[in-house]
Amino acid sequence: MSHPFETLTPDLVLDAVESIGFLSDARVLALNSYENRVYQVGIEGAEPLIAKFYRPDRWSDAAILEEHSFTAELAECEVPVVAPLVHNGETLFEHSGFRFTLFPRRGGRAPEPGNLDQLYRLGQLLGRLHGVGATRPFEHREALAVDNFGHASLNTLLEGNFIPKSLLPAFESVARDLLKRVEAIYASTPHQVIRLHGDCHPGNMMCRDEVFHIVDLDDCRTGPAVQDLWMMLAGERHERLGQLAELMDGYNEFHDFDPRELALIEPLRALRLLHYSAWLARRWDDPAFPRSFPWFGQERYWGDQILALREQMAALDEEPLKLF
C-alpha cells in the first residue's frame, strides 16, 4: 500500500497553492522536512511562499489551529516568530485530502554552539515566548510527559520488531530502569507546565540581520519551561554552566525561571532519546524514512542506543546544573 505523501506531487502542490487564489510561477523546491512535507513555491510578481503540508492523521484540525493561534498570539505580543499567513480569514486549508498552511519565506542562520552573546539573546527570546505561553493552557495540544514520550515510545519499539532479538533483552532492561529513574525525578522535582515551543533545538531559532526569530511550532505542547532551554547548551559541564548563566540572564529579563527545574534536564534528554527512536519506528511506512535513515534497525544502531541509554542513566545520577 502506498503512503499518502507519495501522491503529493509538485503539480498537486502548485494546484493547492493556486486553489486559494495565489498565482504560482511553477517553481517548486522541496525543503528539508520529514514529519510533514514543506515546499518553497514561487509566486508571480511576489516573494516565494512556504507551503507546509501536514502529515495525515497526526494532528486534529483543532490542534493545528491551536498551534496557529499560539503563533499569532506570540506575533501580536511582538515576539519574533514566523506565523502562518492569514488568507480570507483562514490559516488552514485543504486540497485533495491534504491540509496545508502557507508561511512567508524567512531565511537565516542557526545559532553558533556555545556563543555566549547569542545565548543571552536567545534567552531573552525564550523568556518572551514563555511569558506569553504561561498566560493560559492549551486545550487541544498534548503534554510532554513520561507516559507518552517514555513508556509509549518504549512500547512502540518493543511491539514493532525493530530491535534485533540478540539485543532486545539488554535494550528493554536499560530502558525500563531508565524510565523508573526518570519517573522518580519528575515526581520529586517541583515544576510548572506552560505552553512551549516543544522542539526548541538550535535549528528552530534562526538569525537574520542580527535578529533571532522562532520557526516551526509544529510540536508546540505543554511542559516544563526547561524543555525549551536545555537543547541550547552544548559541550562539557563547565562549558554548559557558563552557557546556562548567559541564557538565564537573558531569560529572566522577561520571565521568571524556577531553578529547581534544572534537575529535569537529564530526564528530558532521556525521554528525547527514546522518543526519537520511536518516531523513526512510527514513520517507517513512509518511504522517505528508509531512504533517509537506512541505519535504523541495524544491529549497530541498537548497540549504540543501549550504550547511550546506559550513559544517560549515569547522567541522571550526576548533580544537576546550577545557577550561580
Side-chain angles (χ1 to χ4, degrees):
M1 184 179 296
S2 64
H3 191 273
F5 275 143
E6 291 189 337
T7 66
L8 188 58
T9 63
D11 284 342
L12 194 153
V13 171
L14 293 174
D15 289 345
V17 172
E18 293 190 342
S19 73
I20 58 174
F22 292 95
L23 180 62
S24 79
D25 62 11
R27 291 182 297 172
V28 179
L29 175 65
L31 302 181
N32 187 30
S33 178
Y34 297 107
E35 184 61 20
N36 305 294
R37 295 294 188 269
V38 182
Y39 303 88
Q40 178 178 293
V41 179
I43 302 297
E44 286 284 356
E47 286 290 312
L49 295 175
I50 304 301
K52 172 182 174 180
F53 290 80
Y54 287 91
R55 178 172 292 273
D57 302 322
R58 183 185 180 220
W59 295 120
S60 67
D61 285 358
I64 294 173
L65 290 171
E66 193 164 46
E67 170 208 336
H68 295 179
S69 177
F70 182 40
T71 309
E73 190 179 347
L74 291 168
E76 289 170 4
C77 294
E78 299 184 344
V79 178
V81 61
V82 181
L85 290 180
V86 180
H87 186 70
N88 293 331
E90 303 291 339
T91 57
L92 181 62
F93 312 99
E94 189 275 337
H95 183 77
S96 295
F98 288 101
R99 295 170 297 172
F100 69 99
T101 295
L102 299 177
F103 295 85
R105 184 179 65 171
R106 293 286 186 272
R109 308 182 311 277
E112 300 169 16
N115 185 305
L116 298 184
D117 177 63
Q118 289 187 348
L119 283 166
Y120 176 79
R121 290 186 286 150
L122 289 169
Q124 291 178 312
L125 179 53
L126 290 170
R128 295 170 68 189
L129 186 157
H130 289 175
V132 176
T135 57
R136 57 190 177 92
F138 281 134
E139 294 181 11
H140 304 285
R141 309 289 297 189
E142 69 177 14
L144 192 168
V146 180
D147 281 345
N148 58 356
F149 266 59
H151 292 292
S153 294
L154 179 57
N155 290 340
T156 293
L157 297 172
L158 296 180
E159 295 168 4
N161 296 319
F162 294 100
I163 307 170
K165 290 183 179 180
S166 61
L167 299 177
L168 183 59
F171 181 87
E172 181 175 5
S173 175
V174 67
R176 293 198 184 283
D177 288 345
L178 185 66
L179 287 175
K180 287 180 183 178
R181 288 283 291 117
V182 168
E183 284 183 322
I185 296 172
Y186 248 80
S188 63
T189 303
H191 61 278
Q192 178 186 3
V193 294
I194 61 174
R195 291 179 296 172
L196 304 170
H197 182 287
D199 188 30
C200 202
H201 58 76
N204 282 333
M205 310 287 284
M206 304 300 291
C207 185
R208 182 179 183 181
D209 299 328
E210 300 306 314
V211 175
F212 281 101
H213 55 270
I214 302 164
V215 301
D216 192 11
L217 274 82
D218 190 66
D219 282 299
C220 65
R221 64 189 70 240
T222 300
V226 74
Q227 166 64 13
D228 279 350
L229 300 169
W230 70 266
M231 280 183 277
M232 297 292 111
L233 310 178
E236 299 297 325
R237 181 182 176 89
H238 70 277
E239 295 174 302
R240 287 181 284 131
L241 285 170
Q243 295 164 16
L244 178 65
E246 289 296 321
L247 191 67
M248 288 294 99
D249 280 349
Y251 184 94
N252 284 317
E253 289 182 9
F254 295 93
H255 190 66
D256 291 333
F257 179 76
D258 184 347
R260 294 177 297 182
E261 286 192 16
L262 295 175
L264 295 178
I265 289 179
E266 296 307 329
L268 288 167
R269 194 191 309 273
L271 293 178
R272 190 171 179 87
L273 284 170
L274 288 170
H275 186 261
Y276 179 74
S277 291
W279 174 68
L280 293 175
R282 291 165 182 152
R283 301 293 180 254
W284 206 242
D285 65 332
D286 181 340
F289 278 70
R291 288 196 302 265
S292 302
F293 308 98
W295 35 259
F296 181 72
Q298 296 179 4
E299 189 160 319
R300 179 175 179 179
Y301 172 79
W302 292 104
D304 289 344
Q305 289 305 297
I306 291 169
L307 178 60
L309 295 181
R310 285 173 175 162
E311 291 175 344
Q312 195 56 35
M313 178 72 84
L316 293 178
D317 292 329
E318 295 177 0
E319 184 181 9
L321 296 180
K322 290 184 178 181
L323 293 171
F324 297 100

